[in-house]
Amino acid sequence: MNLSAFAFIITGVLLNAAAQLLLKAGTNALGVIHVNAQNWFSTGVKVFSQLPILAGLACYVISLLVWIMGLSRTDVTIAYPMLSLGYVVSAVGAWMFLGEAVSLQRLGAMAVIMVGVALLART
């Protein structure tokens, strides 16, 4: 994988992880969301009036565009597994910014992911 392909892929992964963190921040502000036939519209307005949720959706759209550009430069068998780095980034971000717990088991899983991606990137 050349440097431009790697930059597009990693940027897509980081934007996707940022989207997850922003969506979670928005839902944290709302609490548990319940939708039914009577409240679907008002609930939708509440959800889509949250700035973190709108920012998360924007990150998703941009990440999709960046991802497509990255895919045009490398094999999907290399690019797609790189998405697993998003788990590592989002778990660390959730710990740092949202106060979520990261157990030893999760740290071990993240280490396995990182080793796998490093091996894959060397092929």
Side-chain angles (χ1 to χ4, degrees):
M1 180 179 338
N2 64 35
L3 184 58
S4 86
F6 182 76
F8 280 113
I9 297 299
I10 290 301
T11 301
V13 167
L14 294 175
L15 283 166
N16 195 299
Q20 289 297 319
L21 295 170
L22 287 163
L23 292 173
K24 180 60 178 165
T27 60
N28 281 351
L30 292 172
V32 177
I33 299 169
H34 298 283
V35 179
N36 59 44
Q38 289 78 35
N39 74 351
W40 67 270
F41 184 78
S42 63
T43 300
V45 168
K46 243 192 303 190
V47 167
F48 290 107
S49 67
Q50 291 292 314
L51 289 179
I53 290 177
L54 294 174
L57 291 172
C59 283
Y60 267 136
V61 169
I62 296 166
S63 76
L64 177 62
L65 297 173
V66 170
W67 186 255
I68 289 169
M69 293 172 74
L71 282 178
S72 74
R73 290 166 169 76
T74 192
D75 294 339
V76 73
T77 56
I78 300 294
Y80 189 68
M82 295 285 184
L83 282 175
S84 61
L85 288 175
Y87 173 77
V88 176
V89 173
S90 63
V92 170
W95 170 70
M96 290 175 60
F97 301 115
L98 302 174
E100 293 186 10
V102 178
S103 66
L104 278 176
Q105 186 174 0
R106 289 182 187 176
L107 287 172
M110 286 186 265
V112 169
I113 289 169
M114 291 170 54
V115 167
V117 169
L119 287 172
L120 181 67
R122 296 181 53 98
T123 61

